[in-house]
Amino acid sequence: MKSEGTMSDRETTLLEIKSRVLEFVRVRDWERFHSPKNLSMALAAEAAELMEHFLWDTPEASIERAENEAVADELADIVIYAIEFANITGIDLSKAIENKMAKNAEKYPVEKARGNALKYTDL
């Protein structure tokens, strides 16, 4: 496993990240607190903390604000909780993403959805 500070999207696998999150949780004996209910609530709380950084910003200002360490920290918290949710429930995250992307491709065919922000039910 890579040491702290050496991970990058280009070089780190999802399995390595999942393992690192699992080890972090296990050495602290936190698994007993990480039920799907609690983790889903933690995800929602962290998402709200991320949104708070952009409250009342214009779309243009939000782009500038996103280049901020505090925003990156909140996004990391969300992803960590999502990965821990997958760890606890046994969900194969790569397979779940692949399946969901296939469903999204059916709901949002390129010829109807390209450049369009409508929900699939309104396309």
Side-chain angles (χ1 to χ4, degrees):
M1 181 154 4
K2 297 176 190 300
S3 64
E4 199 168 322
T6 62
M7 295 192 333
S8 71
D9 284 353
R10 190 177 288 283
E11 298 174 359
T12 308
T13 68
L14 181 56
L15 181 59
E16 288 173 310
I17 296 171
K18 286 180 75 175
S19 296
R20 194 161 183 177
V21 169
L22 185 61
E23 178 65 16
F24 185 90
V25 169
R26 283 193 172 155
V27 299
R28 288 162 178 80
D29 193 26
W30 286 350
E31 286 177 295
R32 61 181 145 157
F33 307 117
H34 288 185
S35 66
K37 177 195 80 70
N38 288 345
L39 289 168
S40 66
M41 294 170 75
L43 272 163
E46 293 299 338
E49 289 179 20
L50 177 62
M51 289 186 297
E52 188 175 23
H53 287 275
F54 303 103
L55 188 63
W56 311 120
D57 274 353
T58 64
E60 298 77 20
S62 72
I63 292 168
E64 289 181 31
R65 189 178 307 276
E67 298 171 3
N68 175 313
E69 186 177 353
V71 169
D73 286 347
E74 296 301 348
L75 181 59
D77 284 340
I78 293 165
V79 174
I80 289 166
Y81 278 128
I83 288 170
E84 178 59 4
F85 190 99
N87 281 341
I88 291 295
T89 60
I91 292 172
D92 183 316
L93 199 48
S94 294
K95 184 178 280 188
I97 290 169
E98 182 178 39
N99 290 342
K100 182 59 177 171
M101 292 298 292
K103 290 175 186 176
N104 287 346
E106 286 183 29
K107 290 198 273 188
Y108 296 97
V110 173
E111 58 277 1
K112 289 184 178 181
R114 184 174 173 85
N116 191 332
L118 293 174
K119 186 173 179 176
Y120 70 95
T121 54
D122 296 328
L123 289 176

